[in-house]
Amino acid sequence: MTKTVGLLVMAYGTPYKESDIEPYYTDIRHGKKPSEEEIQDLKDRYEFIGGLSPLAHTTDKQAEALCDALNEAYDDVNFKLYIGLKHIHPYIEDAVQAMSHDGIEDAVTVVLAPHYSSFSVGSYDKRAEDEAQKYAIKLTHVKHYFEQPKFIQYWTEKINETLDLIPDSEHDDTVLVVSAHSLPKGMIEKNNDPYPNELHETRKLLEENSNIVHVAEGWQSEGHTGTPWLGPDVQDLTRDLYNKHGYKHFIYTPVGFVCEHLEVLYDNDYECKVVCDELGVNYYRPQMPNTDSLFIGAIVDEVKSIY
Ligand code: FEC
C-alpha cells in the first residue's frame, strides 16, 4: 500500500510585482523597514535584471521536478508537494498549515540551498518545525546535499564545458571562483557553524573532479550591516587574483545558489563582470542547476539516504 507523505520544499522567495519589493525587503530585515534609498537601490537592481526575478517560476519548476523524481524513486510512497517561502507568501507556516488541512502526518523537508548553516537552512527548518509541532506533523529534514556525487558531477561538467571554450594553452591562466552567499562572520564563528567548511569541501571536490588547475574560494552578496561578513568578497578576490597571478580567464560558480536569480544575475553577471571588464579579463558563469536532472537526482539521493 502506498502512503502519502508531504514534501515541503522551502526557498527564499522573491517579489511577484514591484509593489511587493518594499514589504519583501522589510521581511528580510526582520520587520525593520529599509531606508527609501535602500529600497530604491533594490528596485534598480531588479530593474536591471529585467524588472523582477525569475526565482518564483524556477522555484515552482524545481519543486515539481523534485516531487516527480521522488515519486519515481519510491514504490511505496506518494509524495504530495507543498512550497513554503522564507520572505513572501506562501510562507513556510502557510505550507505546514496546508499539510495539516490535507491530513498529512509525515513529511520530508528540503531547502533549495545545498549548504547547511543554522542561519540559512537551519532557520527554515526551525520555522517549519515550530509550526508542524502545533499539528503533530513529523518532519524529516534534508540538511544539505553539496557532497552528493550528482551535485558535484553537475558542477564538474559545467566547469569542464567552460574550460572547453578556452584554448588549452591558456588553462594555466584560468581561475575558478567557487562562492556562496556571505553571512555575518561573528555569528558563524560564535556558533561554530559548518557553513564555511561546507563551501571549502565543495571547492575541494570540484578541484579533484574537474580539469581546472587554479581554484579560489570567495563569498558574495554580503549585507551592509557595519559588521564583518565572511570574506573575501568575490569582487575583491577577482582583483587580488589578477594582481597576484595575472589570470586571463575567470570562471564563477556560485555553488551556494541553485538557480539564476538576483544574486547571480546582478552580483555575478553584472558586478563581477564589471571588475573583469576593468581588468581586461574574460568573465564566464556557467548555467545554474535549475531543473537539471543531475541536480534533482542529487536531492533525491540525499532524501533516500535519510528517509
Ligand atoms: O532573485 C531574488 O529575487 C531573490 C534572491 C535571493 C536569494 C537569497 C539567498 C540568500 N540570502 C542569504 C542571506 C541574506 C542575509 C541578508 C540578505 C539580504 C537580501 C536582500 C535581497 C536578497 N537577500 Fe538574501 N537572497 C536573495 C535576495 N540575504 C534582495 C536585501 C537586499 C540586499 O542586501 O541585497 C540580510 C542583509 C541585511 O540585513 O540587509 C543575511 C542567504 C542566502 C542563500 C541561502 C538561501 O537561499 O536561503 C544565506 C536566493
Side-chain angles (χ1 to χ4, degrees), residues 129 160 162 228 257:
E129 202 57 63
N160 288 345
T162 311
F257 301 123

Side-chain angles (χ1 to χ4, degrees), residues 12 14 24-25 28-29 42 45-46 53 124 181 261-262:
Y12 205 80
T14 182
Y24 170 74
Y25 199 173
I28 291 175
R29 286 275 173 90
L42 184 56
R45 279 184 277 147
Y46 278 114
S53 170
Y124 287 83
H181 198 296
H261 52 54
L262 184 71

Side-chain angles (χ1 to χ4, degrees), residues 38-217:
E38 286 172 320
I39 294 167
Q40 192 53 49
D41 177 67
L42 184 56
K43 284 186 177 169
D44 292 346
R45 279 184 277 147
Y46 278 114
E47 193 56 42
F48 186 85
I49 65 160
L52 288 168
S53 170
L55 182 61
H57 177 73
T58 314
T59 296
D60 287 352
K61 292 286 155 226
Q62 289 177 311
E64 285 159 16
L66 178 60
C67 192
D68 290 348
L70 282 168
N71 281 326
E72 283 275 309
Y74 283 77
D75 288 334
D76 52 345
V77 179
N78 171 39
F79 284 97
K80 185 164 168 34
L81 177 62
Y82 297 86
I83 296 177
L85 306 176
K86 197 173 190 183
H87 295 300
I88 200 160
H89 58 86
Y91 288 99
I92 294 167
E93 292 76 8
D94 300 333
V96 176
Q97 282 162 26
M99 287 202 277
S100 157
H101 182 264
D102 293 349
I104 299 285
E105 293 170 351
D106 193 8
V108 172
T109 77
V110 174
V111 179
L112 291 174
H115 303 97
Y116 184 87
S117 163
S118 46
F119 302 99
S120 64
V121 174
S123 75
Y124 287 83
D125 290 351
K126 183 171 183 312
R127 278 175 57 180
E129 202 57 63
D130 287 350
E131 193 65 20
Q133 276 176 15
K134 296 183 191 164
Y135 310 104
I137 301 173
K138 183 178 173 292
L139 302 181
T140 303
H141 304 286
V142 165
K143 288 199 172 307
H144 52 204
Y145 36 88
F146 72 95
E147 278 175 312
Q148 276 297 335
K150 287 177 188 158
F151 180 76
I152 297 301
Q153 191 189 338
Y154 173 84
W155 280 112
T156 298
E157 286 180 8
K158 292 293 156 217
I159 294 163
N160 288 345
E161 283 165 18
T162 311
L163 278 173
D164 286 346
L165 305 172
I166 300 168
D168 286 355
S169 59
E170 293 185 12
H171 284 190
D172 201 31
D173 302 319
T174 302
V175 65
L176 174 73
V177 177
V178 179
S179 62
H181 198 296
S182 186
L183 281 171
K185 208 173 167 194
M187 293 189 332
I188 293 288
E189 283 171 357
K190 197 168 115 208
N191 292 282
N192 205 9
D193 197 273
Y195 190 61
N197 195 44
E198 293 199 356
L199 181 68
H200 184 64
E201 288 301 315
T202 311
R203 169 243 165 105
K204 273 179 22 195
L205 289 165
L206 296 178
E207 199 165 11
E208 281 160 26
N209 285 278
S210 75
N211 300 329
I212 193 81
V213 187
H214 305 292
V215 188
E217 267 165 72

